[in-house]
Amino acid sequence: MTKATKLLTALPPPQRGRLMALGREVSFPEDTRIFEAGGTADRFWVIRSGAVSLDQQVTSLQRVTVATLGSGDLLGWSWLFPPHQWDFGAEAFSPVRAYEFEAQPVLELCEEDPQLGMTLVRIVAEILAYRLEMTRGQLMEQYSLHRRSGL
């Protein structure tokens, strides 16, 4: 399995500079809800430090963590694809510092610079493929444990 792609280091320096010009530094205290599943996905973040858990609401009282993201990881991809709604919720697992990008200016930049747009979409697709593979591995591991326990 390949390692996780990091958005900013995967972009060539000139494209990274153009994207970074649209970002701003933000922070989230530990236990802050960053977004909720079903909400409007109009921005994304690149985590500088700290950890964020992605979760899925399974009952009205219970959330299940589906992934934990850390330094260099992309938080939020739903801004790129209709219907532009978050598929998961996200919470700061520790104090988090990140670069925040509003979707609309980034999408406009991608229209102005189709090469940057294509590169950005390719990198996000690689990130999603990696996360899907990790989730598949976790599901297979849980299935194997479940079968061995005879449940």
Side-chain angles (χ1 to χ4, degrees):
M1 185 174 306
T2 61
K3 64 180 182 139
T5 301
K6 305 293 184 184
L7 177 69
L8 295 180
T9 56
L11 280 172
Q15 293 176 338
R16 182 173 44 240
R18 293 191 72 200
L19 178 64
M20 288 304 296
L22 300 177
R24 67 184 187 103
E25 293 186 31
V26 297
S27 61
F28 301 101
E30 183 174 354
D31 298 328
T32 299
R33 290 298 292 173
I34 300 170
F35 56 81
E36 295 289 349
T40 301
D42 61 356
R43 63 197 64 240
F44 66 96
W45 301 263
V46 175
I47 300 170
R48 296 179 57 214
S49 65
V52 174
S53 61
L54 295 179
D55 56 48
Q56 183 69 56
Q57 192 84 34
V58 291
T59 69
S60 62
L61 300 174
Q62 184 182 16
R63 297 177 205 257
V64 173
T65 297
V66 296
T68 302
L69 307 177
S71 181
D73 285 335
L74 171 67
L75 172 60
W77 52 266
S78 299
W79 61 276
L80 194 52
F81 306 104
H84 307 289
Q85 292 181 325
W86 301 119
D87 287 317
F88 301 103
E91 185 169 319
F93 189 70
S94 67
V96 171
R97 292 180 12 203
Y99 296 114
E100 180 179 77
F101 300 88
E102 291 185 32
Q104 194 57 44
V106 173
L107 292 170
E108 289 169 8
L109 176 61
C110 291
E111 289 289 325
E112 293 168 18
D113 184 346
Q115 184 176 2
L116 185 150
M118 188 62 185
T119 302
L120 187 62
V121 169
R122 181 187 51 77
I123 293 167
V124 171
E126 287 176 10
I127 291 167
L128 293 177
Y130 174 80
R131 291 185 187 167
L132 182 60
E133 183 63 24
M134 294 298 295
T135 301
R136 187 183 74 80
Q138 291 171 347
L139 288 172
M140 294 304 292
E141 187 175 307
Q142 289 176 7
Y143 176 74
S144 177
L145 289 172
H146 181 75
R147 287 194 43 122
R148 280 186 268 165
S149 68
L151 298 174

